[in-house]
Amino acid sequence: MPVFPSPAELHQILPFSAAARPWRLVRYACTDWLVIALCWTTMVLVQHPIIYVLGLLLIAGRLQALGVILHDACHLPPRRRTIAFIIIEALAGWPIGSTISAMRYHHLRHHRAVCTPEDPYLHHHAARGGWIKRVMMLRGALLPVWWPLRTLMAPLALVWPAFRPWYARGFLQERSKRDLRQHPEVIACARADLSHCIAYLLVITAIVHWQLPFFTYYGLPWILAGIMNANRVLIEHDHVENGERSQQAVWAMTHTCHYGWLGKLVLFPRNIGFHQVHHVYPALALEHLPAVHRHILSRLEISSPKT
């Protein structure tokens, strides 16, 4: 099994701070939006099926990348909402139907309870593999409908406490059986969705008023990104219950997938495929994952010499 470096050793491996930096995440999000804008421009100016398909794939990859940026932000310690966090949420969260609070709710529970009954991402049927796993992957096509629906239901969750358990279990992937009617984190997620809801209503109004080709240039790539995201969650983990919480056990029950340049562009953008390292060091910034992964593998080779 690999020998994992301590936090002090990580500082020696990495030239910069190991944790994500909010303004760096803002820069990443702006870069991804620039790529999306360039794709849109090319698709409009060059009306060709091949260009459209390539643009579709690239936009889907960048929408996934925005999810990775939001994911990195949710691993930062909870703090006062600074300008950087507001921008991250608007650029990387709202376009994919989420907020930092919503992502933090289900994703941090996944890390705390990975491969246990309370893991929001544990899918027992996925362990069978084959066509069952492929069909489950297609459920990701519902994310562009389901996540925005959560946002639109947030005002109802705020004014009607009896609806909050449904809101948490249906939209935030809560798996416990606790009474959630006055749960402060559920209320915080609903409050964070209010500005998100207003932004969505304005966008919907603009699309209808100006008859914008939303589905052609955004809806379809979003559906594709949702399928890719669901597939990634399914293949990154062993969907078998395991109560052991050691770093070695977490490393064994997760998987690294990057697939070269195709992964970087579309399937596993912004190093999200280095999932084993991410689970061992959840707060490690996305740009440092490959270096730490290589370091751990080199330690594994040294500790297990070939005979």
Side-chain angles (χ1 to χ4, degrees), residues 13 15 29 37 65 76 80-82 84 89 91 97 109 117 156 160 204 224 252:
I13 300 168
L76 291 169
R80 181 175 58 86
R81 283 175 62 81
T82 63
E89 195 159 78
L91 290 181
R109 280 166 172 74
L156 182 61
W160 187 22
I204 291 170
L224 187 58

Side-chain angles (χ1 to χ4, degrees), residues 18 131 266:
W131 67 269
V266 180

Side-chain angles (χ1 to χ4, degrees), residues 29-30 80 92 104 138 201:
C30 290
R80 181 175 58 86
R104 183 178 283 130
L138 296 177
L201 292 174

Side-chain angles (χ1 to χ4, degrees), residues 168-269:
R169 295 190 175 100
F171 298 116
L172 299 173
Q173 303 180 64
E174 171 69 55
R175 289 200 173 183
S176 74
K177 297 181 180 179
R178 294 178 297 171
D179 184 357
L180 302 170
R181 287 174 293 180
Q182 300 300 328
H183 195 290
E185 200 174 354
V186 174
I187 296 173
C189 286
R191 284 177 179 163
D193 266 331
L194 286 180
S195 55
H196 188 188
C197 180
I198 294 170
Y200 264 22
L201 292 174
L202 291 174
V203 169
I204 291 170
T205 301
I207 291 170
V208 173
H209 179 74
W210 284 294
Q211 297 183 348
L212 301 176
F214 172 81
F215 183 79
T216 303
Y217 293 99
Y218 200 91
L220 195 55
W222 194 0
I223 291 172
L224 187 58
I227 294 172
M228 292 175 180
N229 180 74
N231 177 64
R232 181 171 53 77
V233 171
L234 289 172
I235 67 177
E236 282 175 343
H237 310 92
D238 287 339
H239 294 271
V240 178
E241 289 187 24
N242 187 333
E244 191 177 348
R245 303 265 64 81
S246 68
Q247 288 181 316
Q248 286 76 13
V250 170
W251 179 276
M253 68 180 71
T254 52
H255 305 282
T256 294
C257 312
H258 43 82
Y259 296 170
W261 65 269
L262 181 61
K264 289 181 179 180
L265 281 176
V266 180
L267 299 174
F268 302 96

Side-chain angles (χ1 to χ4, degrees), residues 7-202:
E9 289 176 299
L10 277 182
H11 286 292
Q12 296 177 356
I13 300 168
L14 304 172
F16 307 106
S17 170
R21 297 178 179 180
W23 283 109
R24 184 176 293 174
L25 295 178
V26 169
R27 189 184 73 200
Y28 292 159
C30 290
T31 302
D32 288 329
W33 271 109
L34 178 60
V35 173
I36 291 173
L38 290 173
C39 287
W40 281 340
T41 303
T42 305
M43 292 161 75
V44 170
L45 294 178
V46 184
Q47 296 285 331
H48 194 281
I50 294 178
I51 297 298
Y52 178 77
V53 171
L54 290 176
L56 196 74
L57 291 172
L58 287 173
I59 293 172
R62 290 310 92 198
L63 291 177
Q64 274 215 96
L66 293 177
V68 177
I69 293 167
L70 190 73
H71 158 271
D72 250 36
C74 90
H75 277 288
L76 291 169
R79 62 183 73 179
R80 181 175 58 86
R81 283 175 62 81
T82 63
I83 293 176
F85 276 86
I86 293 171
I87 295 174
I88 290 168
E89 195 159 78
L91 290 181
W94 296 357
I96 60 170
S98 192
T99 62
I100 294 174
S101 296
M103 178 73 77
R104 183 178 283 130
Y105 191 99
H106 58 78
H107 189 71
L108 297 191
R109 280 166 172 74
H110 162 63
H111 275 269
R112 290 197 296 265
V114 61
C115 289
T116 69
E118 291 199 0
D119 179 2
Y121 303 170
L122 178 66
H123 303 287
H124 293 95
H125 295 301
R128 301 180 185 179
W131 67 269
I132 295 178
K133 201 168 186 177
R134 288 191 286 273
V135 170
M136 292 182 68
M137 174 186 71
L138 296 177
R139 298 190 311 171
L142 298 176
L143 289 182
V145 175
W146 198 246
W147 283 6
L149 183 60
R150 184 205 74 245
T151 300
L152 299 175
M153 292 292 102
L156 182 61
L158 281 176
V159 300
W160 187 22
F163 179 66
R164 290 172 192 163
W166 293 87
Y167 173 83
R169 295 190 175 100
F171 298 116
L172 299 173
Q173 303 180 64
E174 171 69 55
R175 289 200 173 183
S176 74
K177 297 181 180 179
R178 294 178 297 171
D179 184 357
L180 302 170
R181 287 174 293 180
Q182 300 300 328
H183 195 290
E185 200 174 354
V186 174
I187 296 173
C189 286
R191 284 177 179 163
D193 266 331
L194 286 180
S195 55
H196 188 188
C197 180
I198 294 170
Y200 264 22
L201 292 174
L202 291 174

